[in-house]
Amino acid sequence: MEEYGRFVDWDKMDAGAQSQEAKELSCGELQELKQLARQGYWAKSHALRAKAYQRLIGGIPCRTVTPDAGVYRDIVGKIVGRRGGGALPLPEFVDDSLVPTYCLNAEGVGAVRKIILCVANQFPDISFCPALPSVTALLLHYSRDEAECFEQVCRILACNDPSRRLIDQTFLAFESSCMTFGDLVNKYCQAAHKLMVAVSEDVLQVYSDWQRWLFGELPMPYVARVFDVFLVEGYKVLYRVALALLKFFHKVRGGRPLAAESVQQDIRAFVRDIGSAVSPERLLEKAFAIRLLSRKEIQLLQLANEKALQRKGITVKHKRSWLLWWQNVHLAVHAENFKSEIVSVKEMRDIWSWIPERFALCQPLLLFTTSEHGCSLSRFYSHSEGHEPTLLLIKTTAKEVCGAYLSTDWSARRRGGNKLSFFGTGECFVFRLQPEVERYEWVIIRHPELASAGPEAENHSSAAAASRLPSSSGPAEPSDRLSPFLSARHFNLPSKTASMFMAGSSECIIIGGGDGQALYLDADLNHGRTSHCNTFNNQPLCSESFQISVLEVWGFRD
């Protein structure tokens, strides 16, 4: 233990957590390492965790020329000089006010700053890396000296495996990860998201804290357990744990009054004091109980968010970028420019908080309204086609208001000829605004025979057939296959799985499908009906049969 404890203040460490004798790390297969990391096999042995980190970080594929311990010894004197470590200013790409000590002694606290300055010298392309101080401080715990810690940090930063994401090093990557986290919260933590929307004026600002929760606020025993699994399984683990933290926050604090101006600080305080509510084991158990998107899907979603930011010119952190971001997101639905016969500005902003983050950067654009264009399904199609995604809003004569977010261009209906053809992705959802606000997550419904049997089977689709489809997602797919959650058109991917979320023909529109659950609109756009089931928590979207007062279709304008 002493071999790796030079920088540790043992009086601050939990003695019980270091009481076990060191074990051996003999396994070599990834699956075995994954199991050991999740179980906390090396969590109670300081020396064993140090050896595990050396092995895992040493196996990271890196650039040909990656700074090592020898480089550190050569440059540290020139960069630091005679200044004490505690007095060293940190580079601009990290937050100087957020350097966790993690039970390090005075020498260790100073060493963290020295190492970060030397990293900045060797990686001039890093422009934004808020997680670096936390990662450096943690690795210093399990390093023999500063040079060894420097080498491990450099290997993480120099990873050149395109399929393996580790820590963000640019503002673009960081901000797109915040958007992706917002997308995941919207899908997997709907109760917490609903609370955030209700109490916070700036939900994205709250979610932009997600890495700070992990690499800043989370206590040392927790962040070490997270890092154990992160080194084996990668970036996806960070999303899992942050989602679990938000779920626990909602469970513990959701019933108490929360002020809009303090919710961000409330979450930080909860994470700092998480030991009073949740153990590290329970946190990881909750994190891995979340049935998250595949790693490939998350990478694609993150890439789409990066492209959305690039289109808006938000690529570096400076005052103008933040102002542009704020204008794009928080003024997307501007009171002076928005007019609808169905929803208010506040209601449209609520809907905007549900849509994928990459489209929340866009402004709403009215494409079709029955008040102006008449109740013609052909006009509905002609005004809606060429736009992806779209937002459907319906107000009934009984003053009910409901709608749907539709991820796919309506022109995709033509693949079935004159027959009813289903399409769309798992990003589709339906919602109700009046009499009560509710968003319903749509189930992924697969119809394998449509994917494999060709056009003849596709043409056999009908509303009746849709009602007989199973509502479960079926057996788990291999990790290298995509679910219908992401749109093949958005990501230029081949799709082998037919998904059933929206359908259209010259006779009707259907939104949803499977097990009798759907929203049906007749060709004259005057009448509609719904069929509901347990997907809607036994609460109908609106009346089973209704007359349409006004129908609007909105697009998304950059």
Side-chain angles (χ1 to χ4, degrees), residues 6 48 76 108 126 146 155 165 173 193 204 213 220 231 241 287 313 369 461 469 494:
R6 170 183 166 185
L48 186 62
V76 64
I126 295 179
E146 295 172 14
R155 290 194 65 84
R165 184 189 180 105
H193 182 66
L204 282 177
W213 304 341
M220 162 74 184
L231 286 177
V241 176
T369 171
S461 302
L469 290 174

Side-chain angles (χ1 to χ4, degrees), residues 84-159:
L88 294 171
L90 291 180
E92 292 184 357
F93 61 71
V94 299
D95 186 349
D96 203 352
S97 66
L98 194 66
V99 182
T101 59
Y102 291 150
C103 304
L104 293 173
N105 57 28
E107 182 185 7
V109 172
V112 169
R113 291 178 172 270
K114 292 163 65 177
I115 293 168
I116 291 175
L117 281 175
C118 291
V119 167
N121 175 267
Q122 295 295 301
F123 290 84
D125 52 335
I126 295 179
S127 60
F128 194 73
C129 192
L132 185 58
S134 175
V135 171
T136 304
L138 182 64
L139 289 176
L140 195 58
H141 256 267
Y142 306 99
S143 301
R144 295 183 183 90
D145 55 30
E146 295 172 14
E148 183 175 274
C149 179
F150 170 84
E151 180 173 329
Q152 290 184 334
V153 172
C154 288
R155 290 194 65 84
I156 290 174
L157 293 172
C159 175

Side-chain angles (χ1 to χ4, degrees), residues 8-253:
V8 180
D9 186 340
W10 293 105
D11 293 335
K12 297 179 181 178
M13 292 287 286
D14 180 5
Q18 305 299 330
S19 61
Q20 293 190 9
E21 293 294 328
K23 308 169 188 176
E24 291 299 322
L25 189 65
S26 57
C27 67
E29 295 298 324
L30 178 62
Q31 196 61 34
E32 291 180 86
L33 287 171
K34 182 185 293 187
Q35 290 295 327
L36 293 179
R38 291 190 182 188
Q39 294 167 6
Y41 179 81
W42 53 74
K44 294 186 177 181
S45 170
H46 202 86
L48 186 62
R49 179 176 266 153
K51 293 175 182 177
Y53 283 4
Q54 286 181 348
R55 179 171 177 177
L56 294 170
I57 295 173
I60 294 175
C62 296
R63 300 194 293 245
T64 304
V65 180
T66 299
D68 57 14
V71 171
Y72 182 81
R73 297 186 184 100
D74 290 339
I75 67 174
V76 64
K78 302 172 186 176
I79 294 173
V80 175
R82 297 182 179 180
R83 293 174 294 177
L88 294 171
L90 291 180
E92 292 184 357
F93 61 71
V94 299
D95 186 349
D96 203 352
S97 66
L98 194 66
V99 182
T101 59
Y102 291 150
C103 304
L104 293 173
N105 57 28
E107 182 185 7
V109 172
V112 169
R113 291 178 172 270
K114 292 163 65 177
I115 293 168
I116 291 175
L117 281 175
C118 291
V119 167
N121 175 267
Q122 295 295 301
F123 290 84
D125 52 335
I126 295 179
S127 60
F128 194 73
C129 192
L132 185 58
S134 175
V135 171
T136 304
L138 182 64
L139 289 176
L140 195 58
H141 256 267
Y142 306 99
S143 301
R144 295 183 183 90
D145 55 30
E146 295 172 14
E148 183 175 274
C149 179
F150 170 84
E151 180 173 329
Q152 290 184 334
V153 172
C154 288
R155 290 194 65 84
I156 290 174
L157 293 172
C159 175
N160 64 354
D161 183 349
S163 65
R164 189 173 184 181
R165 184 189 180 105
L166 292 177
I167 61 176
D168 297 327
Q169 300 175 44
T170 66
F171 181 71
L172 179 63
F174 170 79
E175 203 59 54
S176 63
S177 77
C178 296
M179 293 172 64
T180 302
F181 180 69
D183 286 327
L184 297 176
V185 172
N186 205 348
K187 183 171 178 63
Y188 296 103
C189 302
Q190 290 186 30
H193 182 66
K194 188 175 182 179
L195 176 65
M196 294 299 106
V197 172
V199 302
S200 176
E201 296 178 356
D202 190 349
V203 177
L204 282 177
Q205 185 177 356
V206 174
Y207 295 157
S208 291
D209 247 10
W210 80 278
Q211 287 197 27
R212 177 174 179 147
W213 304 341
L214 304 176
F215 297 117
E217 308 295 353
L218 205 60
M220 162 74 184
Y222 292 77
V223 74
R225 287 295 306 276
V226 173
F227 202 72
D228 293 346
V229 189
F230 165 73
L231 286 177
V232 179
E233 301 188 38
Y235 201 90
K236 183 178 175 180
V237 169
L238 304 182
Y239 284 131
R240 285 188 178 279
V241 176
L243 290 170
L245 287 170
L246 195 60
K247 281 178 175 285
F248 278 121
F249 174 79
H250 177 260
K251 180 179 180 180
V252 174
R253 297 292 305 276

Side-chain angles (χ1 to χ4, degrees), residues 265-460:
Q265 296 299 328
D266 288 341
I267 297 177
R268 292 176 185 177
F270 171 79
V271 175
R272 282 196 300 271
D273 192 37
I274 194 171
S276 63
V278 182
S279 68
E281 292 74 21
R282 182 72 184 98
L283 178 63
L284 288 177
E285 180 184 337
K286 185 76 168 179
F288 286 103
I290 300 171
R291 302 207 46 177
L292 212 55
L293 297 173
S294 71
R295 181 181 291 105
K296 185 173 182 180
E297 286 174 315
I298 290 176
Q299 289 173 342
L300 292 168
L301 188 57
Q302 178 113 3
L303 180 60
N305 286 331
E306 283 190 8
K307 289 180 178 178
L309 288 168
Q310 287 173 326
R311 286 197 302 270
K312 294 294 182 181
I314 305 169
T315 58
V316 295
K317 184 182 181 183
H318 52 67
K319 186 175 181 180
R320 182 177 177 276
S321 286
W322 278 108
L323 178 62
L324 197 60
W325 169 269
W326 187 85
Q327 289 174 336
N328 284 327
V329 177
H330 305 294
L331 297 181
V333 185
H334 198 289
E336 295 179 1
N337 301 326
F338 177 77
K339 185 177 180 181
S340 167
E341 295 181 67
I342 300 178
V343 297
S344 66
V345 171
K346 169 64 170 62
E347 289 171 324
M348 196 63 155
R349 284 176 176 166
D350 286 343
I351 296 170
W352 235 241
S353 73
W354 297 332
I355 66 176
E357 297 287 1
R358 63 189 183 277
F359 297 117
L361 294 170
C362 303
Q363 294 180 344
L365 174 66
L366 184 61
L367 303 176
F368 174 85
T369 171
T370 51
S371 297
E372 179 181 344
H373 302 105
C375 299
S376 165
L377 188 56
S378 61
R379 288 180 189 165
F380 171 96
Y381 287 138
S382 65
H383 283 81
S384 302
E385 287 177 4
H387 295 271
E388 183 178 278
T390 54
L391 189 69
L392 177 69
L393 298 176
I394 298 171
K395 184 175 183 179
T396 72
T397 54
K399 308 299 182 183
E400 298 167 307
V401 176
C402 63
Y405 171 82
L406 304 169
S407 65
T408 307
D409 192 331
W410 279 104
S411 62
R413 77 186 192 284
R414 295 201 186 101
R415 71 182 186 183
N418 293 325
K419 301 291 184 179
L420 193 66
S421 173
F422 281 85
F423 50 98
T425 77
E427 286 188 316
C428 295
F429 62 86
V430 292
F431 56 87
R432 181 183 65 205
L433 295 177
Q434 297 290 344
E436 296 177 352
V437 177
E438 192 66 54
R439 173 181 182 265
Y440 304 106
E441 186 70 32
W442 205 250
V443 295
I444 291 176
I445 301 168
R446 297 184 176 87
H447 195 189
E449 56 268 36
L450 294 186
S452 57
E456 184 177 348
E458 268 194 14
N459 292 342
H460 188 65

